[in-house]
C-alpha cells in the first residue's frame, strides 16, 4: 500500500473527468458573517519564500561589499585592484549563502530565532573561510592573500550578517503579527478530523499558517458550527467566492484518503481556484513514501494541487511582461498611431474601446482595444458574437480585427499588470454561446483564471481564435488554456510569443 503515488491517485485529469454526483446545490453568495471575515483579508501578503529569497541576495551583497570595503581600507581606495581578491571574496560570499541554505538557515523558523542559530551561522561562515583557505592551498595561491585582511573580513562580515538577522527577526515578527506575512488557509470538512488537524497545526512553533475558517457541506448536527474556536462559514460552493475575496493561499482537506469519492467530489469544485490544495495526512492510516509528503511544521500533507506561476516564477513572468510589452509598444507605435488616425477618419466615436472581462482569480478587469464597431452599435457585454460580414463592424474595423491590430493597445494592459503577454485570452463577463454563459457550457471553465489572462495564448496560436459560435470551440479553447497552465514555463511563453505573428497570418476565423 505504501507504494501508491498520490500525484497519480488525484491527478488533474482524474479530478476534471470525475463524474461527481449531483447534490442539487446551486452556488450562491456567501453569508454576511463570511463576507465580513473575508473582508479582513483583502490585503495581499508577502510570501515567506520570497522574503527568504530576497534575504539570500541581500546577505550575499552584504558579505561581498564588506569584503571589498575591507580590501580597499587595507590597500587604499586608489590602489590597483588585484583580480584574485574580488574573485576570492565573491566565491566565499556565495559559498556562505549556499551553506546557510543547505543548513536550513533561511527557513522562517530559523530567521525568527537568530540567537538560537548563532552557532550555526558562525560555523557556516567559518566553514566557508576554511574551504577558501583549503582551495588556495591546493592551487598553491595561499601566499598571494593577506591573512590580516581576511581575518578582518571574517569578523566584520559575521557582525554584519548576524546584525542583519537580528533586524530581520524583528521585522518578521512584526509582519507576522500584522498579518502581512502568512499563508492563509481554509479547512475543508469539519467535525473531529478538522479539530485534530487544527490542534496539530497550532502546536507547531513559528508556523506561518493562518486558519481563516472552515467550510463543510454537512449540517450542524454532523459538522459543528464552531470547531476548535473557528467558525464554519459556509458550504463548499460558498468557499469558492470566499477564497477569491480573502485571497486564500491554501485549502487543507481534512477528510480521510480512504473516502476517495468524497475527496474527488470536493476537488471537482475546488480545483478552479488559484491556490495550493493539500490533503491532511496527520491521522491517516495509509502510509506513503516520505517524499510524497510536504509538512506544516511536523504535520504531514499530501500535495494535491499547487498554485500555478507562484513566488519567483511570478516575478520572472512579470519582468518578462514589462520588458516585452515595452518592446512591443516601441515597435508597433507607428502602426498604433496610423490605426488611431484611420479610426477617427472612418467613423465617429472614441479611438479606444474598453471592455470589462474576467481576469486573474475571476476579478473584473478593463481591457483596451481599438474600436472596430460603430459607436451606437457596440456591444460592451459581448452577448452577441461578432460574425462574418457583421454590419456593426466598420470598414477599418474589419481590417484591424482580421489582422489583430485591434488588440495592440493590450500591450499597455500587460505593462500596467492587468494582463500578461501570454496566457488564456480573457473573455467578456457576459459572453454567451447559444444563450449560455461560457462557464455553463464548459465544466471547470473558471480554471482558466488560475493565472493572469494574456494578450496572446496557446489556444490562439493553435487556431482557436475569432468567433466562438459553437460549444465545441469554447471547449477546445478551454482545453488548450488548461494545458498551458499545467505546463507553463518561461520557454513556453517565449515560444508562444514568437509564434504569434506567424500564426496570425491565418485569418480564417477572424472577423
Amino acid at each position: 500500500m505504501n507504494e501508491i503515488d498520490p500525484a497519480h491517485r488525484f491527478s488533474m485529469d482524474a479530478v476534471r473527468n470525475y463524474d461527481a454526483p449531483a447534490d442539487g446545490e446551486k452556488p450562491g453568495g456567501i453569508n454576511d458573517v463570511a463576507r465580513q471575515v473575508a473582508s479582513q483579508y483583502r490585503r495581499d501578503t508577502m510570501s515567506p519564500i520570497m522574503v527568504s529569497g530576497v534575504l539570500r541576495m541581500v546577505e550575499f551583497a552584504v558579505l561581498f561589499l564588506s569584503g571589498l570595503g575591507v580590501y580597499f581600507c587595507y590597500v587604499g581606495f586608489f590602489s590597483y585592484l588585484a583580480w584574485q581578491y574580488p574573485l576570492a571574496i565573491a566565491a566565499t560570499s556565495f559559498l556562505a549563502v549556499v551553506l546557510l541554505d543547505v543548513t536550513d538557515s533561511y527557513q522562517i523558523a530559523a530567521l525568527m530565532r537568530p540567537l538560537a542559530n548563532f552557532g550555526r551561522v558562525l560555523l557556516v561562515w567559518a566553514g566557508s573561510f576554511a574551504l577558501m583557505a583549503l582551495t588556495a592551498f591546493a592551487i598553491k595561491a595561499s601566499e598571494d592573500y593577506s591573512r590580516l585582511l581576511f581575518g578582518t573580513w571574517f569578523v566584520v562580515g559575521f557582525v554584519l550578517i548576524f546584525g542583519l538577522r537580528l533586524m530581520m527577526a524583528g521585522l518578521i515578527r512584526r509582519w507576522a503579527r500584522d498579518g502581512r506575512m502568512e499563508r492563509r488557509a481554509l479547512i475543508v470538512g469539519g467535525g473531529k478530523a478538522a479539530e485534530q488537524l487544527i490542534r496539530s497545526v497550532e502546536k507547531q512553533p513559528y508556523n506561518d499558517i493562518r486558519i481563516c475558517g472552515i467550510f463543510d457541506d454537512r449540517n450542524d448536527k454532523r459538522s459543528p458550527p464552531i470547531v476548535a474556536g473557528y467558525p464554519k462559514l459556509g458550504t463548499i460552493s460558498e468557499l469558492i467566492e470566499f477564497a477569491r475575496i480573502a485571497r486564500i493561499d491554501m485549502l487543507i482537506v481534512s477528510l480521510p484518503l480512504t473516502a476517495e469519492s468524497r475527496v474527488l467530489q470536493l476537488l471537482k469544485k475546488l480545483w478552479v481556484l488559484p491556490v495550493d490544495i493539500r490533503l491532511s495526512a496527520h491521522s491517516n492510516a495509509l502510509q506513503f513514501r516520505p517524499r510524497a509528503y510536504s509538512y506544516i511544521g511536523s504535520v504531514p500533507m499530501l500535495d494535491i494541487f499547487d498554485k500555478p506561476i507562484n513566488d519567483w516564477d511570478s516575478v520572472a513572468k512579470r519582468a518578462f511582461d514589462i520588458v516585452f510589452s515595452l518592446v512591443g509598444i516601441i515597435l508597433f507605435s507607428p502602426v498604433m498611431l496610423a490605426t488611431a488616425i484611420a479610426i477617427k477618419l472612418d467613423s465617429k466615436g472614441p479611438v479606444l474601446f474598453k471592455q470589462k472581462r474576467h481576469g486573474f482569480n475571476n476579478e473584473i478587469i478593463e481591457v483596451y482595444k481599438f474600436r472596430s464597431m460603430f459607436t451606437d452599435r457596440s456591444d460592451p457585454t459581448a452577448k452577441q458574437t461578432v460574425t462574418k460580414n457583421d454590419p456593426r463592424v466598420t470598414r477599418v474595423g474589419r481590417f484591424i480585427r482580421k489582422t489583430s491590430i485591434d488588440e495592440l493597445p493590450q500591450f499597455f494592459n500587460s505593462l500596467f499588470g492587468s494582463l500578461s503577454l501570454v496566457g488564456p485570452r480573457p473573455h467578456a463577463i457576459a459572453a454567451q454561446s447559444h444563450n449560455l454563459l461560457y462557464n455553463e457550457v464548459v465544466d471547470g471553465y473558471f480554471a482558466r483564471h488560475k493565472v493572469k489572462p494574456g494578450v496572446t495564448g496557446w489556444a490562439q496560436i493553435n487556431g482557436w481564435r475569432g468567433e466562438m459560435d459553437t460549444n465545441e470551440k469554447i471547449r477546445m479553447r478551454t482545453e488548450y488554456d488548461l494545458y498551458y497552465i499545467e505546463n507553463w514555463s518561461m520557454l513556453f511563453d517565449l515560444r508562444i510569443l514568437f509564434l504569434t505573428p506567424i500564426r496570425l497570418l491565418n485569418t480564417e476565423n477572424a472577423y
Side-chain angles (χ1 to χ4, degrees), residues 150-371:
F150 279 96
T152 304
W153 181 39
F154 178 86
V155 175
V156 171
F158 181 76
V159 169
L160 289 175
I161 197 173
F162 193 73
L164 175 63
R165 284 178 169 253
L166 287 173
M167 183 179 69
M168 279 301 301
L171 283 174
I172 291 172
R173 286 195 181 94
R174 185 193 307 168
W175 292 336
R177 187 172 58 251
D178 297 342
R180 296 178 60 190
M181 193 181 76
E182 62 189 7
R183 285 184 291 170
R184 295 169 181 166
L186 293 176
I187 305 297
V188 182
K192 196 67 178 178
E195 183 178 0
Q196 292 174 357
L197 169 63
I198 292 169
R199 299 296 187 203
S200 298
V201 171
E202 287 181 336
K203 283 193 292 187
Q204 306 306 313
Y206 306 108
N207 87 75
D208 59 338
I209 298 294
R210 172 173 292 206
I211 298 172
C212 301
I214 299 168
F215 286 81
D216 196 348
D217 282 340
R218 295 174 295 178
N219 59 37
D220 289 352
K221 289 184 179 179
R222 298 180 60 198
S223 176
I226 302 291
V227 178
Y230 293 91
K232 186 174 70 174
L233 297 174
T235 65
I236 305 304
S237 295
E238 293 165 345
L239 178 153
I240 294 175
E241 183 180 349
F242 181 96
R244 287 186 168 130
I245 295 173
R247 302 181 186 274
I248 294 299
D249 301 298
M250 180 185 297
L251 304 179
I252 305 176
V253 180
S254 66
L255 293 177
L257 192 60
T258 48
E260 182 168 320
S261 61
R262 178 60 176 149
V263 172
L264 281 168
Q265 187 178 349
L266 290 175
L267 296 179
K268 181 79 171 178
K269 295 180 179 181
L270 300 176
W271 75 284
V272 299
L273 289 170
V275 298
D276 296 328
I277 300 181
R278 303 288 181 256
L279 180 61
S280 170
H282 78 288
S283 60
N284 211 309
L286 296 176
Q287 296 297 316
F288 296 101
R289 291 167 292 183
R291 66 179 181 174
Y293 297 107
S294 61
Y295 290 86
I296 298 174
S298 60
V299 180
M301 302 281 173
L302 291 173
D303 297 349
I304 307 300
F305 295 128
D306 290 324
K307 181 178 179 180
I309 315 181
N310 199 18
D311 296 323
W312 289 106
D313 286 341
S314 65
V315 173
K317 189 165 175 62
R318 183 70 187 123
F320 177 95
D321 289 341
I322 292 172
V323 170
F324 282 96
S325 295
L326 287 172
V327 170
I329 290 169
I330 293 169
L331 286 178
F332 290 103
S333 56
V335 177
M336 288 193 279
L337 180 60
T339 302
I341 294 171
I343 291 171
K344 271 296 184 185
L345 294 175
D346 183 51
S347 61
K348 294 181 180 179
V351 169
L352 292 179
F353 175 69
K354 300 176 184 179
Q355 189 175 59
K356 294 189 184 300
R357 300 189 179 188
H358 278 122
F360 171 70
N361 203 22
N362 267 32
E363 294 177 352
I364 305 302
I365 60 172
E366 200 169 57
V367 172
Y368 306 138
K369 296 180 69 174
F370 281 123
R371 181 175 59 84

Side-chain angles (χ1 to χ4, degrees), residues 398-417:
R398 285 194 180 88
F399 176 76
I400 63 175
R401 289 179 72 92
K402 206 166 189 65
T403 56
S404 292
I405 290 175
D406 64 324
E407 310 282 0
L408 290 180
Q410 289 168 30
F411 278 120
F412 291 96
N413 280 111
S414 176
L415 182 64
F416 299 146

